[in-house]
């Protein structure tokens, strides 16, 4: 017999919303299972039961924003720490990119529940995604994500001569971090001191640690793409809204 699972988990699996959003909608009576309103948190259902949501849920979800920022050095991705400001502190009307194409007026309520979907460490710059939409967060940092992240990495070889070809192959596949083998990456030289990294995972300080293992010191690291969304000409320290026609 098919096992039951929590309604909120099933809604997340169906791509309707995040689990947290699901719990909010259930509590408000906005969710139906086989046509009947379900308002009790923790309710379990069978996978073949039909789940629908009321129009109010879709309307509320459509107001949720996703913001792209070109994070400068010295800002942390998430909560403020060690006296450093979080990147969300840069999200204010005066820092909005003048070329932002979304007809959306900035309002401080858009900062509520605005969380980073992925991290960039304090010494790194480039594309950072902050979102109120649980579906976007799941797509970018969920367990089964396969979204590519592209980085330009300026490096210095700490040994004599040049990085051996075998070590470049190791950066592509063969290294382990924290006792686990890394998913294959795409790493190639862009010029004599800059590498392009394309990853499908994001362990803490992953690129810096990978480079250290083959004798490379990272001088600068910039994320330029997440999925199909590029940093482009977005100036450092400025932000814009994600457009409806920009799927990751």
């Amino acid at each position: 017999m098919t096992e039951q699972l929590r309604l909120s988990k099933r809604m997340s699996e169906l791509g309707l919303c995040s689990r947290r959003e699901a719990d909010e909608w259930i509590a408000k009576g906005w969710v139906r299972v086989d046509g009947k309103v379900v308002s009790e948190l923790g309710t379990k259902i069978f996978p073949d039961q039909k789940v629908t949501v009321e129009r109010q849920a879709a309307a509320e979800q459509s107001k949720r924003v996703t913001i792209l920022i070109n994070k400068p050095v010295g800002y942390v991705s998430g909560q403020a720490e060690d006296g450093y400001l979080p990147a969300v502190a840069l999200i204010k009307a005066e820092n909005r990119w003048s070329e932002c194409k979304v007809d959306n007026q900035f309002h401080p309520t858009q900062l509520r529940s605005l969380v980073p979907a992925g991290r960039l460490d304090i010494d790194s710059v480039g594309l950072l995604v902050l979102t109120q939409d649980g579906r976007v967060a799941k797509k970018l940092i969920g367990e089964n994500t396969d979204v590519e992240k592209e980085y330009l990495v300026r490096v210095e070889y700490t040994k004599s001569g040049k990085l051996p070809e075998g070590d470049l192959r190791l950066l592509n596949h063969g290294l382990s971090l924290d006792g686990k083998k890394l998913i294959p990456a795409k790493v190639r030289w862009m010029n004599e001191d800059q590498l392009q990294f394309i990853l499908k995972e994001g362990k803490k300080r992953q690129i810096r640690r990978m480079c250290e293992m083959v004798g490379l010191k990272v001088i600068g690291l910039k994320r330029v793409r997440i999925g199909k969304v590029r940093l482009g000409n977005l100036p450092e320290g400025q932000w814009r809204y994600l457009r409806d026609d920009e799927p990751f």
Side-chain angles (χ1 to χ4, degrees), residues 94-128:
E94 57 266 34
N95 289 346
R96 183 177 178 180
W97 190 28
S98 59
E99 293 182 36
C100 178
K101 299 287 194 292
V102 177
D103 185 21
N104 199 349
Q105 192 164 349
F106 174 71
H107 193 274
T109 55
Q110 292 165 3
L111 300 175
R112 282 186 208 146
S113 306
L114 190 69
V115 295
R119 298 178 65 83
L120 258 187
D121 68 50
I122 195 165
D123 302 314
S124 302
V125 302
L127 184 57
L128 181 67

Side-chain angles (χ1 to χ4, degrees), residues 4-93:
Q4 287 185 309
L5 66 166
R6 283 178 72 106
L7 175 54
S8 57
K9 184 172 191 282
R10 182 63 181 145
M11 289 171 69
S12 173
E13 284 179 357
L14 291 167
L16 294 171
C17 57
S18 68
R19 288 198 204 183
R20 188 178 66 187
E21 282 173 317
D23 283 337
E24 288 173 13
W25 295 357
I26 292 165
K28 289 176 179 176
W30 291 352
V31 181
R32 290 176 184 264
V33 176
D34 293 336
K36 292 181 181 174
V37 172
V38 173
S39 56
E40 189 177 326
L41 295 178
T43 296
K44 292 191 172 185
I45 66 166
F46 290 106
D48 60 353
Q49 289 185 272
K50 188 179 181 186
V51 181
T52 54
V53 296
E54 302 293 334
R55 280 198 304 262
Q56 299 98 306
E60 187 176 275
Q61 200 170 48
S62 70
K63 293 178 198 164
R64 301 195 175 203
V65 299
T66 296
I67 285 172
L68 311 176
I69 186 166
N70 185 346
K71 187 190 89 66
V73 166
Y75 285 81
V76 291
S77 300
Q79 298 291 322
E81 54 186 73
D82 300 330
Y84 292 107
L85 284 171
V88 72
L90 292 165
I91 312 294
K92 40 193 173 186

Side-chain angles (χ1 to χ4, degrees), residues 142-161:
E143 281 176 35
N144 302 315
T145 183
D146 61 353
V147 176
E148 288 186 344
K149 287 95 176 172
E150 180 182 340
Y151 304 80
L152 296 179
V153 186
R154 198 161 296 285
V155 293
E156 192 177 86
Y157 194 44
T158 58
K159 302 175 185 177
S160 59

Side-chain angles (χ1 to χ4, degrees), residues 98-231:
S98 59
E99 293 182 36
C100 178
K101 299 287 194 292
V102 177
D103 185 21
N104 199 349
Q105 192 164 349
F106 174 71
H107 193 274
T109 55
Q110 292 165 3
L111 300 175
R112 282 186 208 146
S113 306
L114 190 69
V115 295
R119 298 178 65 83
L120 258 187
D121 68 50
I122 195 165
D123 302 314
S124 302
V125 302
L127 184 57
L128 181 67
V129 177
L130 297 143
T131 187
Q132 292 178 316
D133 192 332
R135 295 168 301 173
V136 172
K138 186 185 177 197
K139 177 77 177 165
L140 299 188
I141 56 175
E143 281 176 35
N144 302 315
T145 183
D146 61 353
V147 176
E148 288 186 344
K149 287 95 176 172
E150 180 182 340
Y151 304 80
L152 296 179
V153 186
R154 198 161 296 285
V155 293
E156 192 177 86
Y157 194 44
T158 58
K159 302 175 185 177
S160 59
K162 288 186 171 183
L163 181 77
E165 276 298 312
D167 284 352
L168 182 63
R169 284 196 292 274
L170 270 179
L171 287 173
N172 278 271
H173 189 216
L175 294 177
S176 297
L177 285 180
D178 306 323
K180 290 184 81 172
K181 277 201 176 264
L182 293 173
I183 294 170
K186 295 175 190 167
V187 185
R188 66 186 181 102
W189 287 107
M190 301 295 283
N191 54 48
E192 62 182 20
D193 68 348
Q194 185 168 263
L195 287 163
Q196 175 199 55
F197 274 74
I198 297 176
L199 307 179
K200 286 190 176 180
E201 61 186 333
K203 293 184 182 294
K204 192 171 183 182
R205 297 180 78 84
Q206 179 172 335
I207 291 174
R208 294 175 189 275
R209 291 164 71 196
M210 287 171 74
C211 285
E212 277 172 22
M213 291 167 89
V214 296
L216 289 170
K217 181 182 178 185
V218 173
I219 308 299
L221 191 155
K222 182 178 192 177
R223 184 158 61 202
V224 294
R225 177 174 67 86
I226 298 176
K228 293 179 181 177
V229 176
R230 292 190 171 275
L231 178 65

